Amino acid sequence: MNKLISTGILVGLLFTGWFLDIHLSVADKVNKAFPPRPEVRIQLETLQSLIPSDSSSLESFNNAYDSQMMLRAFSCTQGISLSRFDSVQHIQQLPIDRDCLKQKDDELLETIGINLVGFRLTQPPLRPLIKLGPPAIIHGVDGVDVYAGQSASKAGVAVLRGNRSEFISVEIPGGKKIATLPTIPEGSHAGYSVSPNGRVLAIVVNNKDMRFIDNESGQDLWLARDVNQIFAWLPELQVALVRSNKNRTENGSLSLVDFKRGNIKPFDIAGRNQSWALNLSESPSRLLVGSHKDFSLIENIRTPEGVKATVIKDFRIKSPTGNVSARNPTLMLDGKAIVFVSGRDFMLFNLETGVEKYWQSGEVVGTNYAKFTEDSILVDGHSFLKTGTTRSFILNIKDSTLSPVETVDGSEGIIYELNGRTGFMRRGYQKVWVGDSLQTGRSDSLDDLIEGRKLERQLQALEQEERLSKARLEALKSGHLSAHKEFVPVPLQPLVPRGIGLNESAYRAILPRERNIYPHVDTPSGRQLPAPARPAGIPADAPAMESPAAAPAALPATEMYSASANAARRQEMSNTLKRMLGDIPVNAKVEGVGVYEAKDRISAGVNVIIKKSEQPIVLMLSAYEPVRWNLIKEPGANLAAVISTGYNLSQVQGAGSIKTVIKRGSYSYKQNGEGYQALNNEAVLWAGKPISKFQGDYWGTVFTVGN
């Protein structure tokens, strides 16, 4: 009897369950039996609470979400027989593909996340965009030591990052806290961006995913899997251009996150090695997208099928040394041109005319900058006024001038751009400054400054080499330095860029042996290095270097590097070269010979036969290992001067009365080698012209020149 009652109860429960579920579709029953995981439901509730119930956006999202839920149920029950008469309890006992459910839940999270971010992007600016004025200081908020910051292009909002990867959204310029954001130790130090309206922070995490955070509440909006870079926000179309490894194709990895349609699709325009994108205009919606050398103007429009991209014009940087190398370009001249860092220099590309302008500005200013006006940028100058300090300048890209910044506040720290707007952010110790107004002084010609700086360094290098050569000769004559000491290898650091002389740190690294022998070797800045202990065997009365006259007091740049001052430097260089190499005839040619070392490292060295020639010859010798160069002059040999350069000091025999310079510097033994250009630059510096003929071999024995 009891068994019969139990069976009846079970049948009744099953009937009741079936009766309660009879109005549900098979898909609804599957999703009820296996509901999405909790984080999906939480994000869904968040979205539904944010978007007004009467909004067409919410209705559109609900329709898309319902479609995905139906697809979830059918996809994950393939191969399983189901009917509308099956109850939820029955379906729960079936072997549903759990991996399929997880994948579909991830897709649901993506749809919800895209819509959450998209809703925030359609809202007005989190704080109004206002003029910043003179530099205003923002100290660490809530005890956060500020490390860096990013700003919004159309809102008075910045996100500050602390030394411990804390993030805080603040108003600018006032610095009032908006919200404490999550601490993200796995977040990229450079790969983060703030939406134009200041409402969303996007940051790369674990070098592969993108985390989107609400700047007003600190709430997580979406974790975009395999999206690792925001190239550009396009709020006018409700999309963002991103780098997506998920949708990577053979020709590129750019994708569009469509916040309106709730999906991610490959970008229409395929390309290779795209590394940057720049918003050009909103109506029409246009972008510049490019790599180091090539970039395109792309117009985007929304169609019923989504956003369609079309190439309007292609560009290519023609300058051999020009390329977009360090960061996104900056739109200048009211959208007519872009400015960007190329290596250690600045370059301008006119989008209307295609005209390129390249400044060798690395001689004068650094590469951190911020857009100050439509025709100028804020930069930091190098210490080129012999003061030992740096100074900020405004670089005018139309006039090619530098104007010193006279405003004291906010004149130190690393310069950051305010993304998409004029003004700057500077990060100092535990604080940042923001502003868009500065007092400046008299403008100087950038070209004159660059030329003067290069001439100054060249002259310093020549004068230093003259003093070293003189001291070595005196030491040899007095017996304090024997010839074999010249063959001791000495580690050499690279010359300063462009092969135009040595800076102080290079001298400290390059000349350890000379400093031991000549403890008063002077540095280019005019300061004397401290005298180290002399090595054993070097007498206390060994000849010392001549001390130069005291450096003149620092002059304004307009006088220090004026055209007349540069002319005086060129004359002084000419005088120094004449003292060291004599009068080099105007019709002289430079012939170069290079080896890595003498064959079998024989002490006999390398023979160079100088044959009869009508043109005078300046002989440029270069080697890595110390080499004894044996010059054999045939009758009629017309040798004007000899320059021996290399990683180590070599010897030159047979020059007779011909002026000879032996120095450390560039070396090359093949014309297509990486060191050849630097060697050629030294030939231009010392002889006034490039190498016209070059012979080289790894192991050298005999070379013939002049024929």
Side-chain angles (χ1 to χ4, degrees):
M1 186 66 179
N2 291 336
K3 185 176 181 180
L4 184 61
I5 293 172
S6 298
T7 302
I9 293 173
L10 178 60
V11 171
L13 290 173
L14 290 173
F15 178 79
T16 302
W18 171 82
F19 183 78
L20 292 174
D21 296 339
I22 194 171
H23 67 287
L24 297 176
S25 67
V26 173
D28 289 338
K29 291 178 183 180
V30 172
N31 288 323
K32 187 174 181 181
F34 300 96
R37 57 182 188 263
E39 55 263 42
V40 177
R41 300 197 296 272
I42 292 171
Q43 288 295 80
L44 180 60
E45 291 173 2
T46 300
L47 177 65
Q48 292 172 337
S49 67
L50 287 175
I51 303 179
S53 58
D54 59 348
S55 169
S56 60
S57 297
L58 182 59
E59 181 181 358
S60 176
F61 164 77
N62 286 335
N63 291 334
Y65 185 82
D66 291 342
S67 297
Q68 279 191 265
M69 288 292 288
M70 185 177 295
L71 180 62
R72 175 182 186 270
F74 290 141
S75 298
C76 298
T77 56
Q78 288 184 4
I80 298 175
S81 178
L82 293 173
S83 75
R84 63 170 301 174
F85 298 106
D86 290 328
S87 67
V88 171
Q89 290 87 343
H90 172 71
I91 294 174
Q92 285 177 330
Q93 309 305 315
L94 298 176
I96 302 297
D97 186 344
R98 302 304 175 94
D99 289 337
C100 175
L101 291 173
K102 181 181 182 302
Q103 177 186 343
K104 295 303 178 184
D105 285 355
D106 288 342
E107 293 174 3
L108 288 171
L109 277 173
E110 179 174 284
T111 299
I112 298 170
I114 291 175
N115 279 272
L116 274 170
V117 176
F119 175 72
R120 285 304 191 205
L121 292 180
T122 60
Q123 293 184 289
L126 182 56
R127 295 292 187 272
L129 183 70
I130 61 175
K131 183 171 175 58
L132 301 175
I137 191 169
I138 303 175
H139 290 284
V141 182
D142 291 347
V144 174
D145 293 338
V146 179
Y147 172 77
Q150 290 281 351
S151 62
S153 60
K154 296 185 177 181
V157 176
V159 174
L160 305 181
R161 180 180 188 140
N163 289 326
R164 296 179 178 85
S165 297
E166 316 100 307
F167 289 85
I168 296 176
S169 56
V170 299
E171 300 175 358
I172 57 172
K176 181 180 178 181
K177 185 178 80 170
I178 298 172
T180 299
L181 309 181
T183 297
I184 313 174
E186 71 277 14
S188 168
H189 286 276
Y192 63 103
S193 173
V194 179
S195 65
N197 65 357
R199 290 188 175 273
V200 180
L201 168 68
I203 181 168
V204 178
V205 292
N206 298 319
N207 296 319
K208 65 183 185 68
D209 302 325
M210 183 73 71
R211 186 172 171 182
F212 292 82
I213 299 168
D214 190 321
N215 283 334
E216 186 173 24
S217 65
Q219 182 180 29
D220 275 297
L221 299 174
W222 176 34
L223 180 62
R225 302 290 184 181
D226 295 317
V227 173
N228 58 14
Q229 185 176 350
I230 293 281
F231 275 87
W233 302 89
L234 288 81
E236 66 274 13
L237 296 177
Q238 297 183 50
V239 297
L241 184 66
V242 303
R243 184 188 298 281
S244 172
N245 292 328
K246 183 187 302 182
N247 291 327
R248 190 175 183 88
T249 64
E250 181 181 351
N251 291 328
S253 58
L254 293 189
S255 294
L256 277 182
V257 180
D258 193 329
F259 298 109
K260 187 172 183 177
R261 295 175 63 88
N263 57 32
I264 304 177
K265 294 290 183 63
F267 193 42
D268 287 343
I269 310 302
R272 293 183 180 275
N273 304 316
Q274 300 102 327
S275 56
W276 59 272
L278 183 64
N279 296 81
L280 202 63
S281 65
E282 291 186 358
S283 182
S285 178
R286 289 185 170 182
L287 286 172
L288 290 175
V289 181
S291 60
H292 295 308
K293 279 284 190 182
D294 301 283
F295 58 100
S296 302
L297 173 60
I298 298 172
E299 184 168 304
N300 306 281
I301 59 172
R302 181 168 286 284
T303 69
E305 293 75 31
V307 173
K308 179 177 177 57
T310 304
V311 174
I312 303 299
K313 188 176 183 180
D314 289 318
F315 302 90
R316 180 168 179 80
I317 299 171
K318 298 183 178 65
S319 169
T321 55
N323 60 80
V324 181
S325 59
R327 56 197 285 185
N328 277 13
T330 299
L331 195 63
M332 304 290 293
L333 303 181
D334 297 312
K336 298 177 183 177
I338 56 174
V339 164
F340 49 91
V341 173
S342 177
R344 59 192 291 265
D345 302 317
F346 281 106
M347 186 171 180
L348 179 143
F349 190 102
N350 191 301
L351 301 172
E352 294 186 343
T353 65
V355 172
E356 302 175 7
K357 190 165 187 177
Y358 190 97
W359 297 280
Q360 291 184 353
S361 54
E363 299 294 337
V364 179
V365 298
T367 56
N368 288 325
Y369 74 95
K371 181 177 179 178
F372 188 65
T373 66
E374 285 298 324
D375 55 12
S376 66
I377 58 177
L378 172 67
V379 294
D380 272 335
H382 297 318
S383 176
F384 58 84
L385 296 182
K386 297 187 177 180
T387 63
T389 60
T390 61
R391 188 172 186 179
S392 300
F393 291 87
I394 298 299
L395 167 57
N396 188 298
I397 61 172
K398 287 179 64 178
D399 303 334
S400 295
T401 59
L402 278 182
S403 305
V405 173
E406 296 180 344
T407 304
V408 175
D409 293 337
S411 60
E412 61 182 27
I414 298 175
I415 299 174
Y416 292 89
E417 267 199 301
L418 293 181
N419 305 324
R421 62 179 292 191
T422 57
F424 62 90
M425 179 183 294
R426 297 199 75 149
R427 190 257 296 175
Y429 179 66
Q430 298 183 355
K431 58 183 177 290
V432 297
W433 289 270
V434 292
D436 58 11
S437 176
L438 296 167
Q439 295 293 322
T440 59
R442 175 178 172 178
S443 299
D444 300 318
S445 166
L446 177 60
D447 292 337
D448 283 349
L449 290 169
I450 292 172
E451 182 186 19
R453 177 59 173 156
K454 292 172 68 174
L455 290 171
E456 179 183 61
R457 295 171 73 174
Q458 290 174 338
L459 179 57
Q460 289 166 345
L462 290 175
E463 291 175 340
Q464 181 72 3
E465 200 59 56
E466 182 182 27
R467 292 193 292 270
L468 285 172
S469 297
K470 182 178 180 181
R472 278 195 293 265
L473 286 173
E474 291 178 354
L476 284 168
K477 291 178 182 178
S478 63
H480 291 135
L481 181 65
S482 59
H484 75 275
K485 285 184 176 291
E486 299 288 345
F487 285 81
V488 179
V490 176
L492 177 65
Q493 299 296 320
L495 293 176
V496 293
R498 306 186 191 284
I500 54 168
L502 306 175
N503 60 21
E504 183 169 322
S505 62
Y507 270 102
R508 289 180 177 272
I510 289 173
L511 306 172
R513 194 159 44 136
E514 278 82 351
R515 292 208 315 271
N516 287 336
I517 299 171
Y518 319 119
H520 300 295
V521 173
D522 302 295
T523 65
S525 63
R527 296 187 296 108
Q528 291 186 343
L529 298 171
R534 295 194 173 206
I538 301 298
D541 61 347
M545 300 295 294
E546 294 180 1
S547 298
L555 297 173
T558 184
E559 299 178 37
M560 192 99 178
Y561 298 103
S562 64
S564 59
N566 290 340
R569 288 188 179 91
R570 285 191 291 271
Q571 183 59 52
E572 186 58 33
M573 286 176 61
S574 176
N575 295 340
T576 304
L577 287 168
K578 186 174 181 179
R579 289 194 299 269
M580 298 184 72
L581 292 176
D583 289 313
I584 296 179
V586 175
N587 65 333
K589 66 176 181 177
V590 181
E591 291 202 32
V593 174
V595 299
Y596 183 87
E597 63 184 9
K599 188 173 179 60
D600 300 324
R601 297 192 177 186
I602 56 175
S603 59
V606 179
N607 294 332
V608 180
I609 301 170
I610 299 98
K611 301 184 76 64
K612 178 181 179 180
S613 63
E614 294 183 3
Q615 280 184 276
I617 294 173
V618 175
L619 184 59
M620 192 90 179
L621 306 170
S622 79
Y624 176 86
E625 295 289 351
V627 167
R628 176 176 284 108
W629 296 100
N630 302 310
L631 307 186
I632 303 170
K633 293 182 288 185
E634 293 187 350
N638 195 354
L639 190 60
V642 180
I643 305 165
S644 171
T645 179
Y647 189 89
N648 298 282
L649 289 173
S650 292
Q651 286 185 326
V652 176
Q653 294 185 345
S657 60
I658 301 299
K659 292 279 189 175
T660 301
V661 170
I662 301 173
K663 59 183 284 294
R664 288 189 177 90
S666 303
Y667 77 94
S668 181
Y669 57 91
K670 50 185 178 181
Q671 198 161 356
N672 60 351
E674 63 180 42
Y676 182 79
Q677 186 57 51
L679 182 67
N680 198 43
N681 289 343
E682 291 210 37
V684 173
L685 172 63
W686 287 85
K689 54 188 65 179
I691 298 171
S692 61
K693 180 181 178 182
F694 182 81
Q695 304 171 67
D697 198 354
Y698 189 91
W699 291 296
T701 52
V702 179
F703 297 90
T704 300
V705 300
N707 57 341

